[in-house]
Amino acid sequence: MAGYVQDVIMLLGDSLTQGATVPGGYAQQLTEFYNRKLDVLVRGFSGYNTSWIIPVFEKVFAKASERQNVPKIQLLTIWFGANDAALPGEQQHVPLPKYKQNLSNLIHTVRDPGSQWYSPETRIILITPPPVNTYQWVEFLRNCDPPKDYSDRQFDLTKQYAEAAKEVGEAEKVPVVDAWTLLWEACGQDEHNLPKFLTDGLHLNAEAYKIVFDALMKIISEEYPEIHHDRLDMVYPSWDIITDENYLDLLKDSSSRN
Amino acid sequence: MAGYVQDVIMLLGDSLTQGATVPGGYAQQLTEFYNRKLDVLVRGFSGYNTSWIIPVFEKVFAKASERQNVPKIQLLTIWFGANDAALPGEQQHVPLPKYKQNLSNLIHTVRDPGSQWYSPETRIILITPPPVNTYQWVEFLRNCDPPKDYSDRQFDLTKQYAEAAKEVGEAEKVPVVDAWTLLWEACGQDEHNLPKFLTDGLHLNAEAYKIVFDALMKIISEEYPEIHHDRLDMVYPSWDIITDENYLDLLKDSSSRN
């Protein structure tokens, strides 16, 4: 079994997070930059919304009573909304007020001293859903099995969920990566330019993930500078100070565990 | 803290493993393919040899007594030799017999029922060090600070370590990814073609990592087919069977934990 030697960044989300393990995805980039400092655990569940994730989160985030030998989560990113914003009547749809309440619930699960999952050392960052390109998306759905001949997402509705996520961030004092606005600005506020960033109208390509990753690192620099990768020591020392004489003493207790 | 919901692949090694989190690296590819099935923990320590890794391994691999709430390691890859094969007199050098003994020790630490780290469910795969290109490497060392004006690696010596790793695999009945031979064949057995696969004479580029990854997946298919990613279920179910009516029952206990 894996011993506890370094702490963790946990990425909670839907397909935008599950898909972020590809080259250039924000999970891949975090893993590369936090190498030997923090492990990155991808908890992205394609198609899930904020209602369905709650019982899952209560397992992937350990209860206080289960934390023996378990790494601390130094940073938790929460990225939902792309599925919650499916049109009313669709299986994945979560009404806007409920979406906001669910996001708040996830935050309170970690932050409330009375919660079984209370974790005061866990920093949180919210990410807004990206803009949807219904022209691309309807084309994608038409090729699904069974095909759908209408879009189950709308540009303006997803925008409302992005704004709602920002409102939750403000109310809960949680910093927000505003992926919606960043990508909208990057495409010149023109839906027809969104294919530059979206593979199918809903999901991000590597270029879009880079925008999200850069914004995430900027927020870490500004809000949580103590866990910027440049500020963290490697858990085990650099090889050039190790010798056959000192290695046992030097390496026996070099983990970040405490 | 991170709850135990899915098991782990642990990649133990030197800089060839540490560097494998880049796009196309074998850590990145495993993370992508085992998404929602097994977490990939990178335990790559640049510059380390098989002697120095032993006290580290005894921490990153949990003792039996520390395994409450800790994920099982379903697969452990061990990739050393590139530093052990530094020339005699160099800080990183490990004599060939000691290198073989250290590799065997790592395997026995996991496999011996009397070991504190005994883990009968952990499958092991060894990887041989890749061929070194001294022409490139001496150029790299010349540009280091302080510069070195000679190569601290030799082609033939690294080859001996690769052969020794295969001998250990055979003796211990552990399957081996023979990265040395695969890359040597891929460059037409001509050292002058190695820059196609090596960034600096010692480290792999994405194309070389792909060869290692493909060979690793082939061994998993042949020796440990039960943990091929195609054979593993996702830890939590696909979204399209989830509804607002069934999600609590469906998701409450879907982890692979047992």
Side-chain angles (χ1 to χ4, degrees), chain A residues 20 24-34 206 209-210 213-214:
Chain A
Y26 78 116
Q28 183 269 316
Q29 293 208 66
L30 287 168
T31 305
E32 187 176 340
F33 281 95
Y34 279 92
Y209 274 127
K210 180 163 174 24
F213 172 73
D214 289 345

Side-chain angles (χ1 to χ4, degrees), chain A residues 1-3 18 35-36 39 43 48 52 59-60 62 66-70 91 121 237 242 244 252, chain B residues 1-3 18 21 35-36 39 43 48 52 59-60 62 66-70 91 121 237 242 244 252:
Chain A
M1 288 74 174
Q18 182 177 329
N35 216 331
R36 293 182 67 179
D39 286 323
R43 294 294 179 260
Y48 280 48
W52 302 344
K59 298 287 178 178
V60 301
E66 294 174 337
R67 288 180 194 166
Q68 199 189 352
N69 306 321
V70 173
Q91 187 178 345
E121 70 275 18
I242 309 175
D244 285 345
K252 222 169 41 190
Chain B
M1 289 75 174
Q18 181 177 328
T21 56
N35 216 332
R36 292 181 67 177
D39 286 322
R43 295 293 179 261
Y48 281 47
W52 302 343
K59 296 288 177 176
V60 302
E66 295 175 336
R67 288 180 194 167
Q68 197 190 351
N69 306 321
V70 173
Q91 187 178 348
E121 70 274 16
I242 308 174
D244 285 344
K252 223 169 36 187

Side-chain angles (χ1 to χ4, degrees), chain A residues 4-5 31 41 47 64 81 97 115 121 124 138 140 160 163 178 189 192 198 210 214 220 245 252:
Chain A
Y4 169 19
V5 291
T31 305
L41 291 184
S115 163
E121 70 275 18
I124 305 176
V138 79
F140 172 81
Q160 288 176 37
E163 284 166 357
D178 186 2
Q189 303 193 10
H192 294 289
L198 304 177
K210 180 163 174 24
D214 289 345
I220 290 173
E245 288 66 46
K252 222 169 41 190

Side-chain angles (χ1 to χ4, degrees), chain B residues 38-51:
Chain B
L38 296 172
D39 286 322
V40 176
L41 291 184
V42 181
R43 295 293 179 261
F45 300 90
S46 174
Y48 281 47
N49 60 34
T50 53
S51 292

Side-chain angles (χ1 to χ4, degrees), chain B residues 187-227:
Chain B
C187 74
Q189 303 193 9
D190 183 346
E191 196 173 346
H192 293 290
N193 291 335
L194 275 172
K196 197 179 161 195
F197 297 111
L198 304 177
T199 56
D200 55 11
L202 194 63
H203 297 101
L204 308 192
N205 65 15
E207 198 173 343
Y209 274 127
K210 180 163 174 24
I211 290 174
V212 173
F213 172 74
D214 289 346
L216 185 64
M217 289 313 305
K218 186 164 181 285
I219 286 190
I220 291 174
S221 296
E222 289 168 359
E223 304 286 336
Y224 307 129
E226 69 281 5
I227 58 159

Side-chain angles (χ1 to χ4, degrees), chain A:
Chain A
M1 288 74 174
Y4 169 19
V5 291
Q6 61 192 38
D7 289 331
V8 166
I9 297 173
M10 180 175 284
L11 310 179
L12 186 74
D14 51 32
S15 56
L16 295 166
T17 298
Q18 182 177 329
T21 56
V22 298
Y26 78 116
Q28 183 269 316
Q29 293 208 66
L30 287 168
T31 305
E32 187 176 340
F33 281 95
Y34 279 92
N35 216 331
R36 293 182 67 179
K37 295 177 177 178
L38 296 172
D39 286 323
V40 175
L41 291 184
V42 181
R43 294 294 179 260
F45 300 90
S46 174
Y48 280 48
N49 60 34
T50 54
S51 292
W52 302 344
I53 205 64
I54 287 176
V56 176
F57 184 62
E58 291 176 352
K59 298 287 178 178
V60 301
F61 202 90
K63 288 183 191 173
S65 59
E66 294 174 337
R67 288 180 194 166
Q68 199 189 352
N69 306 321
V70 173
K72 288 180 188 158
I73 299 177
Q74 295 287 351
L75 175 65
L76 171 71
T77 64
I78 302 176
W79 192 1
F80 285 99
N83 300 314
D84 299 63
L87 299 190
E90 296 291 330
Q91 187 178 345
Q92 294 158 295
H93 174 73
V94 174
L96 198 58
K98 178 77 173 160
Y99 168 68
K100 293 179 70 172
Q101 188 193 326
N102 287 341
L103 285 181
S104 287
N105 279 357
L106 289 168
I107 294 165
H108 286 272
T109 299
V110 175
R111 285 202 174 164
D112 282 357
S115 163
Q116 292 182 79
W117 294 268
Y118 178 53
S119 178
E121 70 275 18
T122 300
R123 300 156 190 83
I124 305 176
I125 294 176
L126 281 177
I127 310 176
T128 67
V132 65
N133 182 330
T134 49
Y135 303 107
Q136 276 177 286
W137 186 239
V138 79
E139 192 60 38
F140 172 81
L141 292 175
R142 203 173 283 145
N143 294 313
C144 285
D145 182 24
K148 254 184 181 170
D149 60 357
Y150 65 96
S151 177
D152 56 12
R153 303 290 196 286
Q154 278 178 354
F155 181 85
D156 286 334
L157 191 61
T158 295
K159 184 182 180 185
Q160 288 176 37
Y161 282 72
E163 284 166 357
K166 283 197 281 185
E167 289 163 17
V168 172
E170 198 162 334
E172 302 287 354
K173 298 189 177 18
V174 167
V176 179
V177 172
D178 186 2
W180 198 95
T181 301
L182 288 167
L183 292 171
W184 187 234
E185 297 293 336
C187 76
Q189 303 193 10
D190 182 346
E191 196 172 346
H192 294 289
N193 292 335
L194 275 172
K196 196 180 160 194
F197 297 110
L198 304 177
T199 57
D200 55 10
L202 194 62
H203 296 100
L204 307 193
N205 64 15
E207 197 173 345
Y209 274 127
K210 180 163 174 24
I211 290 173
V212 173
F213 172 73
D214 289 345
L216 185 63
M217 289 313 304
K218 185 166 182 285
I219 285 189
I220 290 173
S221 297
E222 290 168 358
E223 304 286 334
Y224 306 128
E226 69 281 6
I227 58 159
H228 190 282
H229 53 81
D230 283 343
R231 295 273 293 271
L232 295 176
D233 290 331
M234 290 193 299
V235 170
Y236 285 94
S238 176
W239 72 271
D240 50 9
I241 65 162
I242 309 175
T243 68
D244 285 345
E245 288 66 46
N246 71 12
Y247 80 99
L248 276 177
D249 284 336
L250 202 59
L251 301 176
K252 222 169 41 190
D253 267 318
S254 290
S255 81
S256 68
R257 180 178 186 162
N258 53 39

Side-chain angles (χ1 to χ4, degrees), chain B residues 97-249:
Chain B
K98 178 75 173 162
Y99 168 69
K100 292 179 72 171
Q101 187 192 327
N102 285 341
L103 285 181
S104 287
N105 280 358
L106 289 167
I107 295 165
H108 286 272
T109 299
V110 176
R111 284 200 175 164
D112 282 357
S115 164
Q116 293 182 78
W117 294 269
Y118 179 51
S119 178
E121 70 274 16
T122 299
R123 299 155 190 85
I124 305 178
I125 295 177
L126 282 178
I127 310 177
T128 68
V132 65
N133 182 330
T134 48
Y135 304 106
Q136 276 178 289
W137 185 239
V138 80
E139 193 60 39
F140 172 80
L141 292 175
R142 201 172 285 145
N143 293 313
C144 284
D145 182 23
K148 255 185 181 170
D149 60 356
Y150 65 96
S151 178
D152 56 11
R153 304 289 197 284
Q154 279 178 352
F155 181 85
D156 286 333
L157 190 62
T158 295
K159 184 182 181 186
Q160 289 177 36
Y161 283 72
E163 285 167 356
K166 282 196 283 185
E167 288 163 19
V168 172
E170 199 162 332
E172 302 288 354
K173 297 190 178 16
V174 167
V176 178
V177 171
D178 186 1
W180 198 95
T181 302
L182 289 166
L183 292 170
W184 187 234
E185 297 292 336
C187 74
Q189 303 193 9
D190 183 346
E191 196 173 346
H192 293 290
N193 291 335
L194 275 172
K196 197 179 161 195
F197 297 111
L198 304 177
T199 56
D200 55 11
L202 194 63
H203 297 101
L204 308 192
N205 65 15
E207 198 173 343
Y209 274 127
K210 180 163 174 24
I211 290 174
V212 173
F213 172 74
D214 289 346
L216 185 64
M217 289 313 305
K218 186 164 181 285
I219 286 190
I220 291 174
S221 296
E222 289 168 359
E223 304 286 336
Y224 307 129
E226 69 281 5
I227 58 159
H228 191 282
H229 54 80
D230 283 342
R231 296 273 291 272
L232 296 177
D233 290 331
M234 288 193 299
V235 171
Y236 285 92
S238 177
W239 73 269
D240 50 7
I241 66 163
I242 308 174
T243 67
D244 285 344
E245 287 67 44
N246 71 11
Y247 80 99
L248 275 178
D249 285 335

